[in-house]
Amino acid sequence: MGADQSIKVRAAGGDRAAFTALMTATKADLYRFVRRYVGDEAEAHDVLQEAYSSAWLAMRRYDPARPFEVWLRSIALNKCRDWSRRRTVRRVVRGVMGLDAPEAKAVGDDAPTPEVRLDDQRRAEDLQRALSDLPDALKAPLLLAALEGRSHAEIASILRITPKAVETRIARARKKLSEILGEAPRKGA
């Protein structure tokens, strides 16, 4: 996903077209990360928009020698954390709000039965709730590793921690998810 160096330099200089090109190149991956973090499609679009707005406002401070994706991911992660803090405040004020996952739509003869789809949907909702309940320090490294396939070194760069801290946090996140979901932890997971 590496952006062309000249585009990064032009974007850092305030060129809107270059920034738009960078945005287009990173949007799908960044949306997937944000969507997994916040757990709600509409909220994810809002957080993504906030991340790109903040990136544009901070673009002159971006160093084109650094990977754009890492810099942008750090901004998006901060926006996700902000969203999480706002959500906590809303929960205190209005009570616990559930995050509803959209129903899976299957078409065709080999589609799972309604019972299987319902069971899968419930498990997906349970997992999304469990992910939402993880502390930010555990959630971010887990999502970056498990869902995006990023290396510990990349995650360490994004989160500004050591690769060993990434490894520890991922292990703790998996253990916590297993506890929340009532499963026995997997070896080597």
Side-chain angles (χ1 to χ4, degrees):
M1 184 168 59
D4 179 57
Q5 188 66 21
S6 66
I7 292 175
K8 293 191 305 185
V9 170
R10 289 189 352 249
D15 182 330
R16 279 187 186 266
F19 182 78
T20 299
L22 289 172
M23 208 170 84
T24 301
T26 59
K27 189 174 184 178
D29 286 341
L30 194 61
Y31 172 76
R32 275 191 297 278
F33 171 74
V34 171
R35 171 70 171 89
R36 297 275 193 229
Y37 195 102
V38 304
D40 179 83
E41 188 175 341
E43 293 284 340
H45 284 291
D46 290 344
V47 172
L48 184 67
Q49 184 62 40
E50 287 178 33
Y52 279 118
S53 295
S54 291
W56 173 249
L57 293 173
M59 202 62 209
R60 293 198 185 269
R61 292 191 309 260
Y62 166 67
D63 175 7
R66 288 187 58 210
F68 179 75
E69 295 81 5
V70 171
W71 180 77
L72 181 61
R73 184 74 44 139
S74 297
I75 291 171
L77 181 58
N78 286 334
K79 294 302 173 187
C80 288
R81 289 174 175 156
D82 291 346
W83 175 87
S84 186
R85 283 189 288 273
R86 287 190 308 267
R87 184 183 71 155
T88 300
V89 169
R90 286 191 305 267
R91 282 183 171 180
V92 169
V93 172
R94 295 190 303 220
V96 176
M97 299 182 333
L99 297 176
D100 296 330
E103 289 186 11
K105 296 179 181 175
V107 179
D109 295 335
D110 59 347
T113 66
E115 293 83 12
V116 170
R117 285 197 327 254
L118 184 59
D119 187 46
D120 288 347
Q121 181 181 349
R122 284 184 182 141
R123 278 188 272 148
E125 289 171 352
D126 289 346
L127 178 60
Q128 186 58 54
R129 275 192 285 280
L131 280 170
S132 295
D133 289 341
L134 281 178
D136 287 341
L138 301 180
K139 185 186 322 185
L142 179 66
L143 291 176
L144 289 167
L147 299 175
E148 294 197 4
R150 295 198 179 258
S151 70
H152 288 187
E154 288 176 304
I155 297 167
S157 177
I158 291 168
L159 300 177
R160 296 187 179 121
I161 58 176
T162 66
K164 184 63 179 171
V166 169
E167 181 182 338
T168 301
R169 289 179 185 188
I170 290 171
R172 287 180 182 162
R174 287 181 172 153
K175 183 179 180 202
K176 182 88 171 151
L177 280 177
S178 293
E179 291 169 2
I180 292 169
L181 296 171
E183 301 172 356
R186 295 186 317 236
K187 294 273 186 198

